[in-house]
Amino acid sequence: MKRIFLVTNFFLILFTSCIVNAQSKTISGKIVEATSQQPIEFATVLIADKTTQKPITGTTTSGDGSFEFSTVESNFIIEVSFIGFQKKTLSTYQIKKGNIDLGIIRLEEDKEQLDEVVVSAEVSQTVFKLDKRVFNVGKDLSNAGASALEVLNNVPSVNVNIEGQISLRGSQGVQMLVNGKPSVLTDQGSNALGTITAEMIDRIEVITNPSAKYDAEGTSGIINIVLKKEEKRGLNGSISLNVGTPNSNSIGVSLNKRTEKFNLFTQLGVGHRTFPTERVSENNDLINNTKLRSVGDGDKNETFYNILLGTDYHLNDSNVFTLSGSFAYEVEDENSTNLFSFNESEILTQSWTRTEETEATNPKWQYEFQYKKDFENHEDHDLLFSALGSFFGKDQSSDFKDRTSFGSRENFDQQTATDFKEARYTFKLDYTRPFAKRYTIELGSQYILNDVSNDYQVGTLENGNLVIDPNLTNLFDYNQNVLGVYATLGFEGDKWGVKGGLRLENTDLKTILKNTNEENTQNYTNLFPSAHVSYKISDHVSLQTGYSKRVYRPRLWDLNPFFNIRNNFNISTGNPNLQPEFTDSYELTSIFKIGKTSFNLGMYHHYTKDVIEDVTTFEDGISTRFPINAGTNNTKGIEFNTKYSPFKWGTITADFNWNTFNRKGSFEGNSLDFDGTRWNSRATAKIKLPAGFDFEVSGNYRSRFKTIQGQQEDNLFANLGLRKKLFKGKIVANLSVRDIFETRVFEFTTDQPNFSTYNRNQRGRFITFSLSYGFGKGEAMQYSGSRRF
């Protein structure tokens, strides 16, 4: 630690000596509402040429209303603006020692503008910070009727497959957070993240190289979903109605009441949704020259009810308490039919139909208590404590019937029952202390307790009696506790910024199969260093570089050895003996603003040990897929993002990611070594049409890439949206079409000397029409009809 402290101070002194530039000016201040004195987040502050009035550069305010940026210009005016408030122009100001401190700027409400509910900044955009990228979620047309999973698909560097698995730069080792904290909603195995709706999201933070302040979980980085919390005074709200095909019918109400001391908020929703799926799978036994093929489809129907209640209590200007709670209840039914055919030497010998009827109920609740203290000596000097509790349950039963249509295979019936419970508790304490004007120290700790139980039973009906299969039935308990402490030190000057930190985490994991008494116990302690440096070459060019060490801990769905028998010849299961994987992550990013174009170009390098990868084994015509620690992975890649606004009525954004990887490892004595490449791209055009219509179209492409036993095929799809505002924006009509040409198909093959497999999944086109009405100081917002936490 002494060496780290000395090296850090050496670089701080070096960087401080480099930033001395008499012509550079730092402009800072804080923007608040004139009546309530509440800070205004995302207000725009820009400087413009005093003669031509042409904008030069600027920034937006942070959560506490503060801002700071630098410029070398000398003859300029300062403009401050935000939707619903009168713009303020400052033509006179004082320059002291190269700094312009504007102090507190108070904006008055624009009554006329509020009456018209003029909506600005509707297009989603990405903002770059020292150690993260912030994707501010606008009212993108294709987001109407969408869940958080679909919004994530619009975020640069992020991909979501048909089963809800999230990857960042091609890696699935992602730590998902909600409002900066772990949540049961982010467990990808339960797909509960789909219960967050698009209009609930304020922004998505993508942290590819997290500082030591953040939980070390997630080898490819962290994605933090920040939900909206209405802050306008008075009574505000919106009502939304959605209809769609396949079924996407819902009604939602959002209400907020703000007084001087209290901010009360609530959301109610009820709806019904259908998710159709088409599946194809093949198992080829190359030794015995046999093929088993299944073709099927199914519908998953969900009826959901949800409510959220919460309040902020401002004890005084320095102390705020927040308490919120939510409850959701879902009723699911799923029906599927799969047609099986078995060929020997290309001759059909057996065929049968397997049908499924599944019913489930899912109760979910979550509560949070938060206390924040702001110290008077500095606006960024604060203490934050939070306690979060959540629960997700599933009571599910399934009936399977096999009926032979050709051959001698006997008919039989199976039943399964699942009783799943997951409880998670997170306690977090963070302290931030700025000092010496440009330095900031952060200290904190976090304790996460995760308790999961999965009771799974499989039985076969014989003479009207259910006979339990002991090989497929068991109670699996999973308990994981993680304690972390951290410290960071940061410096931010006019041109240079540097931040270093160290995090220590202890993990205590225990799993047990109750019926067999098979235990897996792990306890390990690790250090996770991080370092970030930024350099502002000019108002239009900046550089960022960073390093962090990360961990991916196997989760319940990685460890649980039991599975769904929808297709009992094509099985996916867990591995209770998995070990964690560790990644060293390096990246360098450049950010450019040229005329009407802004873009960034980045390079990254990830080296992962004990990488977790799925492998497939084959026995008696049954393919079993499960995860193993498959050796090392060395990935190098480049990333490009751009936004171009050639006209006031049009904006184009594009995202491109390419990487090459080298895999080394073995499985059952066979080498898994290979090299490969993969890339993906996304482009979106947003156009303002005559008669007040807005139009949006986007295209996505993900390349084919090699895996340790086969390949994932490429994927191409497009979305579009059309919107019309009515009655001065009080009502918004929106049409959204996702996967226009029904080309979003996921295909995966395994090619081995003795066998091969093929799997194909598709969900098809979704069309949604919505009407939204905003009242008070609220805006018409699309309640997407997705399930709520």
Side-chain angles (χ1 to χ4, degrees), residues 170 581 606-615 628-635 660-666 671-678 705-709:
E581 65 177 35
H606 298 159
Y607 180 73
T608 303
K609 297 178 181 179
D610 292 324
V611 60
I612 296 174
E613 189 75 66
D614 284 345
V615 296
I628 65 169
N629 293 108
T632 63
N633 186 29
N634 201 340
T635 301
T660 177
F661 52 90
N662 171 258
R663 300 296 308 273
K664 291 186 180 297
S666 62
S671 173
L672 299 178
D673 297 357
F674 72 96
D675 297 330
T677 61
R678 63 188 296 178
F705 63 91
K706 190 175 181 180
T707 65
I708 60 176
Q709 289 184 309

Side-chain angles (χ1 to χ4, degrees), residues 521-662:
T521 301
Q522 300 179 31
N523 189 292
Y524 47 92
T525 302
N526 305 98
L527 289 174
F528 299 93
S530 67
H532 297 82
V533 178
S534 66
Y535 177 63
K536 185 176 182 180
I537 299 175
S538 68
D539 290 339
H540 303 289
V541 182
S542 300
L543 297 175
Q544 298 174 335
T545 186
Y547 162 78
S548 67
K549 186 178 182 67
R550 311 292 300 157
V551 62
Y552 177 86
R553 302 178 182 90
R555 302 170 189 177
L556 169 73
W557 305 104
D558 300 315
L559 301 168
N560 188 356
F562 295 97
F563 51 86
N564 188 303
I565 59 171
R566 174 174 293 116
N567 184 336
N568 49 3
F569 290 88
N570 189 9
I571 297 169
S572 294
T573 182
N575 178 3
N577 297 313
L578 274 183
Q579 300 294 311
E581 65 177 35
F582 293 89
T583 295
D584 291 288
S585 176
Y586 309 82
E587 68 176 44
L588 173 64
T589 303
S590 53
I591 305 167
F592 302 88
K593 296 179 181 179
I594 303 175
K596 298 179 180 180
T597 304
S598 63
F599 65 90
N600 80 287
L601 178 65
M603 299 181 293
Y604 57 90
H605 176 209
H606 298 159
Y607 180 73
T608 303
K609 297 178 181 179
D610 292 324
V611 60
I612 296 174
E613 189 75 66
D614 284 345
V615 296
T616 300
T617 60
F618 193 80
E619 185 176 359
D620 297 330
I622 299 174
S623 66
T624 303
R625 190 179 183 190
F626 59 94
I628 65 169
N629 293 108
T632 63
N633 186 29
N634 201 340
T635 301
K636 299 175 183 177
I638 59 174
E639 187 173 35
F640 175 79
N641 313 108
T642 186
K643 178 182 177 182
Y644 180 51
S645 302
F647 310 103
K648 291 183 178 180
W649 48 265
T651 301
I652 299 172
T653 59
D655 175 37
F656 175 81
N657 184 292
W658 176 92
N659 64 66
T660 177
F661 52 90
N662 171 258

Side-chain angles (χ1 to χ4, degrees), residues 373-389:
K373 178 175 178 58
D374 293 318
F375 296 90
E376 296 181 356
N377 62 329
H378 195 284
E379 60 189 10
D380 294 327
H381 185 192
D382 55 54
L383 177 72
L384 180 66
F385 170 77
S386 64
L388 175 73

Side-chain angles (χ1 to χ4, degrees), residues 294-310:
S294 70
V295 178
D297 57 52
D299 288 326
K300 182 176 182 179
N301 300 283
E302 297 176 340
T303 301
F304 58 91
Y305 314 86
N306 55 64
I307 181 172
L308 176 139
L309 295 170

Side-chain angles (χ1 to χ4, degrees), residues 14-38:
L14 177 62
F15 295 156
T16 303
S17 65
C18 292
I19 64 172
V20 177
N21 185 336
Q23 295 181 347
S24 178
K25 305 174 185 64
T26 299
I27 305 173
S28 62
K30 182 176 183 179
I31 300 175
V32 301
E33 296 183 30
T35 55
S36 67
Q37 302 300 307
Q38 293 298 314

